[in-house]
Amino acid sequence: MDLTSTSSGIGDILSTEASGSEPLTSSDSSQCCHPDIKKSWDTLVFHSIKEVEDFYGQYAYKTGFSIRSMLKSKNNSKNKKSDKIHYLRYVCNKEGFKKGSLLNPNNKPRSDSPVVIEFEKVKERPEERVGCKAGIYLKLDETLNVYKIYRWEGTHCHELHRKEHHRYLRSFREVNEVQGQLALINSKAGMSMRTSYEVMGQGVGGTENLPFRFSDLKNYLMTIRSKEMIRGEATVIQEFFRNEAMSKPSFYYDMQVDAAEDIASIFWADGIMQLDYSLFGDVVSFDTTYRTNNQYRPLAAFLGFDNHRKSVLFGAALLYDETAATFDWLFTTFLKCMSNKKPQTIYTDQATALLKSVPNIFQGVFHGLCSWHMSENAKKNLGTRANSSFFDELTILISNVEDESDFDYNWDRMMKNCFDGRPISDWTWLVQTHRNRMHWSSAWVKSHFTAGLKTTQLSESFNAFLRGFLQPDHSLVQFFSHFNVMVQRMRDNHAELDFKAANTRTRNNYPNSQLMRSVVKKYTPASFAFIHRQYDLSFKYYYQEDTSKGSELNKFFKVFTIEKVDDPDEVDDHNDDDAHNDNGGASNSDEFQEIIPSFEELDRLDERVVTVDIRSKSFSCTCRMFENRGFLCRHVFKILEFLGGSVQYHCLKTIPAQYILKRWTRDVRPSVDKLKSSITIGTEDTTQAQRYQQICVVTVQLSTRVCEDEEASKIFLDGVIEAGKKAEELLFSKGIGTNPSSVTPSKSSKAIVVVGEPSSGKSTAPKFKERPNPIKSKKRLKSDYEKARERQKLIMERKKQKREDEEALKKKSAVGEMQEQQ
């Protein structure tokens, strides 16, 4: 009941008496009626149940109590069933008692113990019902076909509520259609229900002015979602994917079913994800995350780096489990979606199922293991042995070994220092880790392209971003709706980075360097920041040509430094302030022609060999940064700076084109935008959304303006209502009708709404395979009070059983004595 009138006080009702003897044929005024004055309501008639509810509801609201329906009987005065409701009864919400209530005097204790009094049922929650007798009784006058009051109890056995508490009365809290639709739109946009409730409260001057509470809004949305699920969650989601595929020609999805034809796993990727993979799919990070839906299904995501070094999504899946068979199906489906194009590198964690599945499906692809997960697994499997000393040694094995012999030496040193020289066979996890060393140690990893990725930190950051949109209590329908919002947010962020790259000038601290000037407008700011840092560090290095091996067209250089240089392990988005020039920005080779002192071999740090082919403008460095990350290293920059300063090698004044990977440049995204236009078509939903936006803009602007004056507001409101009636008639004439009593969302959300009535009988629609919660039990934790009561009950039952046993023993002994006497 949506009551907007204010309380007038019980005194006003008592001071008003009924006048005249003619029957009142309307129930729009409850002020002239009082239960103690029979003349005030004896002649009232009601033509419908709705009129009865409005009448008694207004009286209850003004008086200060809540009501509920107690009886709606179709038995007539002769106690025979009929089609109409003959008897009605509405009572105070505090009428009667809850079953097992402590307040009900009819509940008798089962124990005479003065310590604990046991009732038939004990309710821990506060009681509302106190046995109030107030209520109104009506019956149907079959002659006039109207309802008349034949009894009205107005005395309450409890205090009536104050005026400021009326909005909390249960029967008067209602979420109207406008507020409900607004909450539904906010929910689809990823807004939490609590935030949506606060936003609506701000629109009316505070949540205290809303005619409902937060729990009412939550129940309203749950009702909508339950109606959407009439045909089954799996059927609705299948319809959602079919609509996506129809509106987006490149949309791809596949479902894995079990022997019972229940849906186990789902994979999907739209056209833009497939296009992103074609450009940035050389390195893929695969990871699963939990607590994104109420079905406990892990979300598997295929991620990569775009040209701004940000996460880009290639595809996603909801899995039933994480077995090798499930991963085989998922990876096969992923490659099928991507036209069987395999990445160069894929990073995963150390899960046994992944170690079996990845080599099986991604044949010829380098499989990297996440170093972060290795550290976490070490803590679980090695216990106290996994201390700071162990992690220092492990970090060296991961990042700072050059070849297999260097790895073996450092591994033996780690076993000696951290495990007292015990054999590796004593540690099962170490055996597995050593067996998979070519998947995580730099001795092997540096030969493969990884774009600088050493961990699944990319997936971890994506998971943190994901949790801003997905919650553990989301149903699968909510999950897909919010997931689309999240994907759109990611793409908006990428578009904003493209705009900033085109609209701002990348800072270059070496304006006189042709090497830097040649690429400052080609690379994105994040990519240029990395090579800027490498070029900056090159000034701390020295070079020495090896004339014994080289020639005029093929040269060999040794590049080294005599001081320790901080080298970030990851390719980060460095701030421009980090790139600094110790030499005032000058970069001409004549100014940096250093005299190389005669250093001893042991004084040289980070010594590398750079090979140069003048004809093909090719460079090779033993650090293999370009092969591993796609950027030239500081060692090559040192030689480029030296050779470029010579007239003989003027062709090397700029970075050769083959060393500027297109995946790091600015002009990758425009090509994507051109392809986007070929896969994006105008659908009914998009045009409907545009019309909706236009209507909202106009109405909000006008309502903001006219609300300043009461008369203008009335004129505007009357015009809108009249226009709405005409539009509704037009919609019905075209067959675009809606059920006014339904709370189902509008057509704009047709991807998840229920169309048609549910079929009778047992449903044969597909369903999702139920998955148990692998994280924790759904049982509520018991309080200390509940635990204490359970202990007391157990003690009382034991004492009772003991007394019964003693009485039985006495009776048995008494019977035995009687038999002996006889």
Side-chain angles (χ1 to χ4, degrees), residues 256 264-265 290 297-298 319-327 769 771:
Q256 181 191 37
S265 303
Y290 288 90
R297 294 177 181 270
L319 305 179
Y320 174 74
D321 54 25
E322 295 179 278
T323 60
T326 299
F327 285 131
K769 188 175 181 180
R771 187 177 191 275

Side-chain angles (χ1 to χ4, degrees), residues 32 168 310 401 410 458 471:
C32 61
Y168 296 110
K310 298 298 182 182
V401 292
N410 284 277
L458 185 69
Q471 301 298 328

Side-chain angles (χ1 to χ4, degrees), residues 29 100 120 292 298 690:
S29 176
E120 295 292 333
T292 61
Q690 292 172 357

Side-chain angles (χ1 to χ4, degrees), residues 4 39 246 282 297 308-309 320 330 332 336-337 342 377 414 428 472 496 515 519 555 569 582 704 798 811:
T4 57
K39 292 182 179 180
M246 291 176 60
D282 42 17
R297 294 177 181 270
H308 295 286
R309 299 288 303 170
Y320 174 74
L330 176 60
T332 302
K336 182 180 178 181
C337 172
K342 296 181 180 179
N377 290 334
M414 180 188 72
T428 305
E496 185 177 0
L515 289 174
V519 294
K555 294 183 175 295
D569 291 337
D582 296 334
T704 304
R798 289 178 177 176
K811 290 182 180 179

Side-chain angles (χ1 to χ4, degrees), residues 458-656:
L458 185 69
S459 300
E460 297 298 327
S461 62
F462 171 76
N463 293 341
F465 178 74
L466 196 69
R467 297 188 197 285
F469 298 86
L470 304 178
Q471 301 298 328
D473 59 344
H474 282 174
S475 66
L476 291 184
V477 174
Q478 290 178 275
F479 167 86
F480 287 110
S481 177
H482 287 224
F483 186 86
N484 284 346
V485 175
M486 183 274 302
V487 171
Q488 188 58 47
R489 179 73 63 84
M490 290 181 63
R491 292 170 181 169
D492 291 342
N493 294 340
H494 295 160
E496 185 177 0
L497 289 174
D498 288 338
F499 169 76
K500 289 181 178 180
N503 191 51
T504 58
R505 182 179 179 181
T506 305
R507 182 177 178 179
N508 178 16
N509 288 345
Y510 301 93
N512 297 330
S513 171
Q514 293 190 36
L515 289 174
M516 293 294 98
R517 291 204 309 267
S518 65
V519 294
V520 66
K521 294 184 178 180
K522 294 181 180 179
Y523 281 120
T524 61
S527 302
F528 181 76
F530 180 82
I531 66 165
H532 193 284
R533 175 64 173 165
Q534 292 297 315
Y535 184 75
D536 184 44
L537 293 175
S538 69
F539 294 110
K540 297 182 179 181
Y541 282 73
Y542 302 91
Y543 65 88
Q544 184 178 21
E545 185 175 359
D546 188 351
T547 56
S548 62
K549 297 181 180 180
S551 63
E552 288 297 325
L553 298 179
N554 292 280
K555 294 183 175 295
F556 291 84
F557 295 90
K558 292 182 179 180
V559 183
F560 58 91
T561 183
I562 60 174
E563 59 179 308
K564 186 176 181 180
V565 178
D566 293 332
D567 182 17
D569 291 337
E570 301 283 342
V571 180
D572 297 325
D573 297 334
H574 292 290
N575 194 311
D576 290 339
D577 296 336
D578 293 338
H580 58 277
N581 186 356
D582 296 334
N583 300 284
S587 62
N588 295 332
S589 59
D590 294 337
E591 300 179 30
F592 286 96
Q593 194 70 33
E594 64 267 23
I595 299 176
I596 304 177
S598 58
F599 296 113
E600 298 293 337
E601 292 294 329
L602 296 178
D603 293 329
R604 297 184 179 189
L605 302 175
D606 191 27
E607 183 175 355
R608 306 290 179 174
V609 177
V610 178
T611 306
V612 184
D613 187 336
I614 304 298
R615 289 178 179 176
S616 61
K617 300 181 183 179
S618 62
F619 295 81
S620 176
C621 181
T622 54
C623 75
R624 305 190 68 82
M625 177 176 285
F626 180 77
E627 291 80 2
N628 181 252
R629 302 188 179 187
F631 296 100
L632 288 179
C633 62
R634 68 199 72 175
H635 315 101
V636 173
F637 275 126
K638 187 66 183 180
I639 303 305
L640 268 174
E641 188 69 30
F642 161 66
L643 295 177
S646 175
V647 177
Q648 184 180 0
Y649 306 113
H650 66 279
C651 60
L652 298 177
K653 285 183 176 293
T654 60
I655 297 178

